[in-house]
Amino acid sequence: MQDLNLFVIFARVVESGSFAEAARKMRISRSAVSKAISKLEKSLGAQLLNRSTRVLSLTEAGTVLAEHSAHILDEAEQAERVVNSLQAEPRGMLKVSASVAFGTLHVAPALADFLSRYPEIRIDLTITDRPVDLIGEGYDVIIRVTNEPDLNLVARKLAPVRRKLCATPQYFEKNGVPQTPEDLIKHNCLDYTLSGEQGYWNFTGPEGVIAVPVSGTLRINDDDALSQAVLGGLGIALLPTFTVGKDLQSGKLQAVLSEYIPVERYVYACYLPSRHVPAKVRSFIEFLLMRIGTIPYWDQDA
Amino acid sequence: MQDLNLFVIFARVVESGSFAEAARKMRISRSAVSKAISKLEKSLGAQLLNRSTRVLSLTEAGTVLAEHSAHILDEAEQAERVVNSLQAEPRGMLKVSASVAFGTLHVAPALADFLSRYPEIRIDLTITDRPVDLIGEGYDVIIRVTNEPDLNLVARKLAPVRRKLCATPQYFEKNGVPQTPEDLIKHNCLDYTLSGEQGYWNFTGPEGVIAVPVSGTLRINDDDALSQAVLGGLGIALLPTFTVGKDLQSGKLQAVLSEYIPVERYVYACYLPSRHVPAKVRSFIEFLLMRIGTIPYWDQDA
DNA sequence: CGCATTGTCAACTCATAGGAAACAATATAA
DNA sequence: TTATATTGTTTCCTATGAGTTGACAATGCG
């Protein structure tokens, strides 16, 4: 394969009409240009330029090569421009993955705003709780709720996820209100599949950290569905305020043992570590940060 | 400006789907590929490929760049092919310059044969006796009759040009037949403008080289026109056999002092010195050589 | 006839392209 | 699970060759 840089030099010479002029434009010496052309001619096995000290003229081979070289130069400059623009301006396709509950309740509703703010961005949002392969599937950003994000990723903490022990008033009427964490053992504790240690709920209370063994008749891998189950009066669960904030306000759910704080989880926006984060990713994360804030809107008056 | 060779490596990686595979195809080491991509990403300021040891995926910037790179690669390969073909096969435009008399009488008539033998060649023939700038005007070949061709050019000797002292029988009847070169002084000697020393005709005779001072009433810069003048009975001239061969045979002209040989001139095909002579030029010169041969057809029975 | 500028060449220098080897990550096979 | 092979990366090293400088001859201009 040819050394394409020679094509570039050749194109410059042709458009300049002289070696010296081309050399000045490219800020290299005349001899460098001379050697480049000679090398190109040698490697192609064809004379490209007939030259005396004063006059240059293209051979037929030179003429066709000049055309191709100009195209190449063009294409390269264009490529450089579009990549730069893609990098510097928020535009293009943004592939996002978000977990089911949070994605549905808070990411998806926010996208309209985001897209109208950045009209050149398009979004491909995948809602799933399954672990995704950022590299293989080509995601720009994934939004996950977890207490310990993947160490191989850049994880931007968007907001804390506060959780509360909730059930319906009806449930408490029937089964009593637990006064201490230990009382939970007597209750139907609905569990979130992906939470840390199975079978235990951990709290930080007045006495420090405690682990309460719990058991229940239902386990779901989605916070929103879990909330629905609790709303149906099935039992008690540790529910994030981002799903049940309204229900707590409206009284459809009731929180108990509020002085015992479950291990805090966070909403993270994660992306691949790279020195070169495209503008679309930066602006998306900044938008989310602004939208969700340090004290998320669903917690503001909870 | 970018290093276009990095684009090529990038394109190869994309089409291969892996650094290692691309490295093997290009017969360089994996580390070379790795470094090339890193350098490209750095210089563009954008991530192009997301990669783990096992899986590669293009970023958006990478996707657009891949497209452009593929185009560039394509264009380069195409350019290489067409230049090679132009070099190796007799095809394309052949710019030829020929002197008026010889060009008209012998080059132009031969072209039909040549072009039918090489159907992919087209010819741009310029008939002129004016000295031409091979480089500036972009001629591939010039055909000239001279005794000393330009030393800066490659001059292929096609055929000797024999000249004879000619006049019409009528002229000799009226003015007498010169018996010795010195007798020429008494004749109307028509001169060819571009011949060596003005006012003298040089011969190699039995006594060695002699220079005869001559004078006449006409001087023309074209052998054919000069012949026409002689045919009109105006005087004596040194005429090349390639213009008056037929007239000598038919008796319309008569040659005298044949034992005195004028300085021999030659038909040359000249082209610019270069290691890389295109096939079209080579085949043209070979064709002329074959056609005109060492003993030209107009001399064969003269 | 200077004078300036051209393309080329030879000699030299230094950056850097590329290889080798070791490494961590990861997929596949046993 | 463990073992193995392969991936992309990194460090270190070296030879190549790209580019400079400073000549040169050729050439056009005033």
Side-chain angles (χ1 to χ4, degrees), chain B residues 268-293:
Chain B
Y268 290 97
C270 307
Y271 54 93
L272 286 165
S274 152
R275 290 136 228 101
H276 314 294
V277 183
K280 59 182 179 182
V281 172
R282 279 197 308 271
S283 51
F284 184 59
I285 291 177
E286 255 153 57
F287 172 84
L288 288 178
L289 211 51
M290 186 200 71
R291 175 86 168 207
I292 294 170

Side-chain angles (χ1 to χ4, degrees), chain A residues 54-228:
Chain A
R54 243 35 203 199
V55 55
L56 269 196
S57 80
L58 283 165
T59 64
E60 191 176 27
T63 308
V64 311
L65 188 68
E67 222 163 295
H68 287 266
S69 299
H71 285 166
I72 289 174
L73 199 60
D74 226 61
E75 192 81 26
E77 279 171 354
Q78 206 177 322
E80 203 172 346
R81 262 199 309 279
V82 56
V83 167
N84 273 337
S85 116
L86 220 43
Q87 195 61 14
E89 312 292 331
R91 66 160 54 110
M93 175 64 76
L94 186 67
K95 266 200 92 178
V96 182
S97 167
S99 56
V100 179
F102 191 79
T104 307
L105 293 172
H106 296 102
V107 176
L111 294 185
D113 255 23
F114 177 73
L115 288 173
S116 74
R117 184 163 315 185
Y118 297 103
E120 295 192 86
I121 292 184
R122 282 169 308 134
I123 287 190
D124 174 357
L125 173 63
T126 304
I127 296 278
T128 178
D129 279 324
R130 143 189 84 78
V132 300
D133 176 4
L134 262 196
I135 296 178
E137 304 176 45
Y139 286 110
D140 291 301
V141 185
I142 65 173
I143 294 165
R144 286 295 128 99
V145 176
T146 178
N147 46 353
E148 39 186 23
D150 190 331
L151 285 177
N152 297 323
L153 300 178
V154 179
R156 185 71 169 272
K157 196 181 281 185
L158 293 179
V161 170
R162 295 201 296 152
R163 288 180 297 169
K164 302 204 166 181
L165 275 172
C166 300
T168 56
Q170 292 75 28
Y171 174 88
F172 286 129
E173 221 164 279
K174 197 165 160 191
N175 301 88
V177 174
Q179 303 302 322
T180 69
E182 288 73 21
D183 289 349
L184 287 173
I185 299 173
K186 295 174 265 169
H187 285 264
N188 190 16
C189 295
L190 313 186
D191 206 1
Y192 178 64
T193 311
L194 306 176
S195 66
E197 198 179 353
Q198 300 287 345
Y200 287 85
W201 285 354
N202 299 293
F203 299 94
T204 306
E207 322 85 52
V209 176
I210 56 175
V212 183
V214 293
S215 67
T217 58
L218 178 64
R219 170 181 294 172
I220 309 189
N221 71 344
D222 178 66
D223 278 323
D224 198 27
L226 191 61
S227 305
Q228 296 305 322

Side-chain angles (χ1 to χ4, degrees), chain B residues 165 177-187 189 201 203 207-215 257 260:
Chain B
L165 275 173
V177 174
Q179 302 301 322
T180 68
E182 289 74 21
D183 290 348
L184 289 173
I185 299 173
K186 298 173 259 167
H187 286 265
C189 294
W201 285 354
F203 298 95
E207 322 83 58
V209 176
I210 57 175
V212 183
V214 294
S215 68
L257 293 174
Y260 293 89

Side-chain angles (χ1 to χ4, degrees), chain B residues 244-261:
Chain B
V244 294
K246 277 187 210 143
D247 298 315
L248 287 169
Q249 276 186 269
S250 70
K252 285 169 75 178
L253 286 183
Q254 204 176 313
V256 296
L257 293 174
S258 294
E259 63 279 22
Y260 293 89
I261 317 266

Side-chain angles (χ1 to χ4, degrees), chain A residues 162 249 296-302:
Chain A
R162 295 201 296 152
Q249 276 186 271
Y297 56 85
W298 57 78
D299 267 356
Q300 308 233 320
D301 39 26

Side-chain angles (χ1 to χ4, degrees), chain B residues 18-20 24 30-31 34-35 51-54:
Chain B
S18 112
F19 283 35
R24 276 187 297 263
R30 277 173 295 151
S31 57
S34 174
K35 281 194 273 191
R51 43 198 184 276
S52 70
T53 52
R54 248 28 208 200

